[in-house]
Amino acid sequence: QIQLVQSGPELKKPGESVKISCKASGYTFTDYAMHWVKQAPGKGLKWMGWINTYTGKPTYADDFKGRFVFSLEASASTANLQISNLKNEDTATYFCAREDNRGVMDAWGQGASVTVSS
Amino acid sequence: DIVLTQSPALAVSLGQRATISCKTNQNVDYYGNSYMHWYQQKPGQQPKLLIYLASNLASGIPARFSGRGSGTDFTLTIDPVEADDTATYYCQQSRNLRTFGGGTKLELK
């Protein structure tokens, strides 16, 4: 069955970096785009951007340009999100979601919690 | 950017109909499809796809859920509402980049 399994919770200090992974199984990794979505505590879903799993080209939403990097380990069917120079407002759960060619996010990871606190 | 607007909360009685609306500031139709999708999210869980391309039921979703609309006005209907349907519902467009609505929290009266 289709699964997206994300890495575990992280506790970081301001200024540090974090890398979140999203391992896909049950389908051909390069047939679907991978999107990233942020959910701050008690808030709604915010689209961060996506990565073309065939070419590796990332696209970032305006609010996520600069400190955020999407990458792939295609041989391991894994997408990664790295956040550098962490700030308190990066405290959130981050979801990966695969998207088909109709623009439909039909499978989601379980979410990875990042807490930034001094 | 395409902005999606949802009412923040809705309270309905068990067995009644719930109608959740989503309005966009730009048309999300393109070549005969409406690029609007609906997701359900329960506390502590990831979002789950309910409806795609405005009116298509996702796999495994009960027929109590339905979607309609086009252009800039869309609705998600749950009829009849069951206790397990208490959750937050999000609309999302994929016509131009991606954006989510603010979410509608469905509660029981």
Side-chain angles (χ1 to χ4, degrees), chain B residues 52-75:
Chain B
Y52 63 93
L53 297 175
S55 61
N56 297 278
L57 198 64
S59 176
I61 303 301
R64 303 183 293 102
F65 293 87
S66 63
R68 62 179 300 166
S70 65
T72 61
D73 282 276
F74 298 87
T75 57

CSV table of all heavy atoms in Angstrom, one decimal, chain B residues 52-75:
chain,number,residue,atom,x,y,z
B,52,TYR,N,-12.0,15.5,-4.9
B,52,TYR,CA,-11.0,16.1,-5.8
B,52,TYR,C,-11.7,16.6,-7.1
B,52,TYR,O,-12.8,16.1,-7.5
B,52,TYR,CB,-9.9,15.1,-6.2
B,52,TYR,CG,-10.3,13.9,-7.0
B,52,TYR,CD1,-10.3,13.9,-8.4
B,52,TYR,CD2,-10.8,12.7,-6.3
B,52,TYR,CE1,-10.7,12.8,-9.1
B,52,TYR,CE2,-11.2,11.6,-7.0
B,52,TYR,CZ,-11.1,11.6,-8.4
B,52,TYR,OH,-11.5,10.5,-9.1
B,53,LEU,N,-11.1,17.6,-7.7
B,53,LEU,CA,-11.7,18.3,-8.9
B,53,LEU,C,-13.1,18.7,-8.6
B,53,LEU,O,-14.0,18.4,-9.5
B,53,LEU,CB,-11.5,17.4,-10.1
B,53,LEU,CG,-10.0,17.2,-10.5
B,53,LEU,CD1,-9.9,16.2,-11.6
B,53,LEU,CD2,-9.3,18.5,-10.8
B,54,ALA,N,-13.4,19.2,-7.5
B,54,ALA,CA,-14.7,19.8,-7.1
B,54,ALA,C,-15.8,18.9,-6.7
B,54,ALA,O,-16.5,19.1,-5.8
B,54,ALA,CB,-15.2,20.8,-8.2
B,55,SER,N,-15.9,17.7,-7.4
B,55,SER,CA,-17.1,16.9,-7.2
B,55,SER,C,-16.8,15.4,-7.3
B,55,SER,O,-17.7,14.6,-7.2
B,55,SER,CB,-18.1,17.2,-8.3
B,55,SER,OG,-17.6,17.0,-9.6
B,56,ASN,N,-15.5,15.0,-7.3
B,56,ASN,CA,-15.2,13.6,-7.4
B,56,ASN,C,-14.9,13.0,-6.0
B,56,ASN,O,-14.0,13.5,-5.4
B,56,ASN,CB,-14.0,13.3,-8.4
B,56,ASN,CG,-14.4,13.8,-9.8
B,56,ASN,OD1,-15.0,13.0,-10.5
B,56,ASN,ND2,-14.0,15.0,-10.1
B,57,LEU,N,-15.5,11.9,-5.7
B,57,LEU,CA,-15.3,11.3,-4.4
B,57,LEU,C,-14.0,10.5,-4.4
B,57,LEU,O,-13.8,9.6,-5.3
B,57,LEU,CB,-16.5,10.4,-4.1
B,57,LEU,CG,-16.7,9.9,-2.6
B,57,LEU,CD1,-17.0,11.1,-1.7
B,57,LEU,CD2,-17.9,8.9,-2.6
B,58,ALA,N,-13.2,10.7,-3.4
B,58,ALA,CA,-11.9,10.0,-3.3
B,58,ALA,C,-12.2,8.5,-2.9
B,58,ALA,O,-13.2,8.2,-2.3
B,58,ALA,CB,-10.9,10.7,-2.4
B,59,SER,N,-11.2,7.7,-3.2
B,59,SER,CA,-11.4,6.3,-2.9
B,59,SER,C,-11.6,6.0,-1.4
B,59,SER,O,-10.9,6.6,-0.6
B,59,SER,CB,-10.1,5.5,-3.4
B,59,SER,OG,-10.1,4.2,-3.0
B,60,GLY,N,-12.6,5.2,-1.1
B,60,GLY,CA,-12.8,4.8,0.3
B,60,GLY,C,-13.6,5.8,1.1
B,60,GLY,O,-13.9,5.6,2.3
B,61,ILE,N,-14.0,6.9,0.5
B,61,ILE,CA,-14.8,8.0,1.2
B,61,ILE,C,-16.3,7.7,1.0
B,61,ILE,O,-16.8,7.4,-0.1
B,61,ILE,CB,-14.5,9.4,0.6
B,61,ILE,CG1,-13.0,9.6,0.8
B,61,ILE,CG2,-15.3,10.4,1.4
B,61,ILE,CD1,-12.4,9.6,2.2
B,62,PRO,N,-17.0,7.7,2.2
B,62,PRO,CA,-18.5,7.4,2.1
B,62,PRO,C,-19.2,8.4,1.2
B,62,PRO,O,-18.9,9.6,1.1
B,62,PRO,CB,-19.0,7.4,3.5
B,62,PRO,CG,-17.8,7.6,4.4
B,62,PRO,CD,-16.6,8.0,3.5
B,63,ALA,N,-20.3,7.9,0.6
B,63,ALA,CA,-21.1,8.7,-0.3
B,63,ALA,C,-21.9,9.8,0.4
B,63,ALA,O,-22.5,10.6,-0.2
B,63,ALA,CB,-22.1,7.8,-1.1
B,64,ARG,N,-21.8,9.8,1.8
B,64,ARG,CA,-22.4,10.9,2.5
B,64,ARG,C,-21.7,12.3,2.2
B,64,ARG,O,-22.3,13.3,2.4
B,64,ARG,CB,-22.3,10.7,4.1
B,64,ARG,CG,-22.9,9.4,4.5
B,64,ARG,CD,-22.8,9.2,6.0
B,64,ARG,NE,-21.5,9.0,6.5
B,64,ARG,CZ,-20.7,10.0,7.1
B,64,ARG,NH1,-21.2,11.2,7.3
B,64,ARG,NH2,-19.5,9.7,7.6
B,65,PHE,N,-20.5,12.2,1.7
B,65,PHE,CA,-19.7,13.3,1.3
B,65,PHE,C,-19.9,13.6,-0.1
B,65,PHE,O,-19.9,12.7,-1.0
B,65,PHE,CB,-18.2,13.1,1.6
B,65,PHE,CG,-17.9,13.0,3.1
B,65,PHE,CD1,-17.9,11.8,3.7
B,65,PHE,CD2,-17.5,14.1,3.8
B,65,PHE,CE1,-17.6,11.7,5.1
B,65,PHE,CE2,-17.2,14.0,5.1
B,65,PHE,CZ,-17.3,12.8,5.8
B,66,SER,N,-20.1,14.9,-0.5
B,66,SER,CA,-20.3,15.3,-1.8
B,66,SER,C,-19.7,16.7,-2.0
B,66,SER,O,-19.7,17.5,-1.1
B,66,SER,CB,-21.7,15.2,-2.4
B,66,SER,OG,-22.5,16.1,-1.6
B,67,GLY,N,-19.3,17.0,-3.2
B,67,GLY,CA,-18.8,18.4,-3.5
B,67,GLY,C,-19.4,18.9,-4.8
B,67,GLY,O,-19.8,18.1,-5.7
B,68,ARG,N,-19.6,20.2,-4.8
B,68,ARG,CA,-20.1,20.8,-6.0
B,68,ARG,C,-19.5,22.2,-6.2
B,68,ARG,O,-19.0,22.8,-5.2
B,68,ARG,CB,-21.6,20.8,-6.1
B,68,ARG,CG,-22.3,21.6,-5.0
B,68,ARG,CD,-23.8,21.5,-5.2
B,68,ARG,NE,-24.2,22.1,-6.5
B,68,ARG,CZ,-25.4,21.9,-7.0
B,68,ARG,NH1,-26.3,21.2,-6.4
B,68,ARG,NH2,-25.7,22.5,-8.2
B,69,GLY,N,-19.7,22.8,-7.3
B,69,GLY,CA,-19.3,24.2,-7.6
B,69,GLY,C,-18.4,24.3,-8.8
B,69,GLY,O,-17.9,23.3,-9.4
B,70,SER,N,-18.1,25.6,-9.1
B,70,SER,CA,-17.3,25.9,-10.2
B,70,SER,C,-16.9,27.3,-10.2
B,70,SER,O,-17.5,28.1,-9.4
B,70,SER,CB,-17.9,25.6,-11.6
B,70,SER,OG,-19.0,26.4,-11.8
B,71,GLY,N,-15.8,27.7,-10.9
B,71,GLY,CA,-15.4,29.1,-10.9
B,71,GLY,C,-14.8,29.6,-9.6
B,71,GLY,O,-13.6,29.3,-9.4
B,72,THR,N,-15.6,30.2,-8.8
B,72,THR,CA,-15.1,30.8,-7.6
B,72,THR,C,-15.9,30.4,-6.3
B,72,THR,O,-15.6,30.8,-5.2
B,72,THR,CB,-15.1,32.3,-7.6
B,72,THR,OG1,-16.4,32.8,-7.8
B,72,THR,CG2,-14.2,32.9,-8.8
B,73,ASP,N,-16.9,29.6,-6.5
B,73,ASP,CA,-17.8,29.2,-5.4
B,73,ASP,C,-17.9,27.7,-5.3
B,73,ASP,O,-18.4,27.0,-6.3
B,73,ASP,CB,-19.2,29.8,-5.6
B,73,ASP,CG,-19.2,31.3,-5.2
B,73,ASP,OD1,-19.3,31.5,-4.0
B,73,ASP,OD2,-19.0,32.1,-6.1
B,74,PHE,N,-17.6,27.1,-4.2
B,74,PHE,CA,-17.6,25.7,-4.0
B,74,PHE,C,-18.2,25.3,-2.7
B,74,PHE,O,-18.1,26.1,-1.7
B,74,PHE,CB,-16.1,25.1,-4.1
B,74,PHE,CG,-15.5,25.4,-5.5
B,74,PHE,CD1,-14.9,26.6,-5.7
B,74,PHE,CD2,-15.6,24.4,-6.5
B,74,PHE,CE1,-14.3,26.8,-7.0
B,74,PHE,CE2,-15.1,24.7,-7.7
B,74,PHE,CZ,-14.4,25.9,-8.0
B,75,THR,N,-18.8,24.1,-2.6
B,75,THR,CA,-19.3,23.6,-1.4
B,75,THR,C,-19.0,22.2,-1.2
B,75,THR,O,-19.0,21.4,-2.1
B,75,THR,CB,-20.9,23.8,-1.3
B,75,THR,OG1,-21.5,23.1,-2.4
B,75,THR,CG2,-21.3,25.3,-1.3
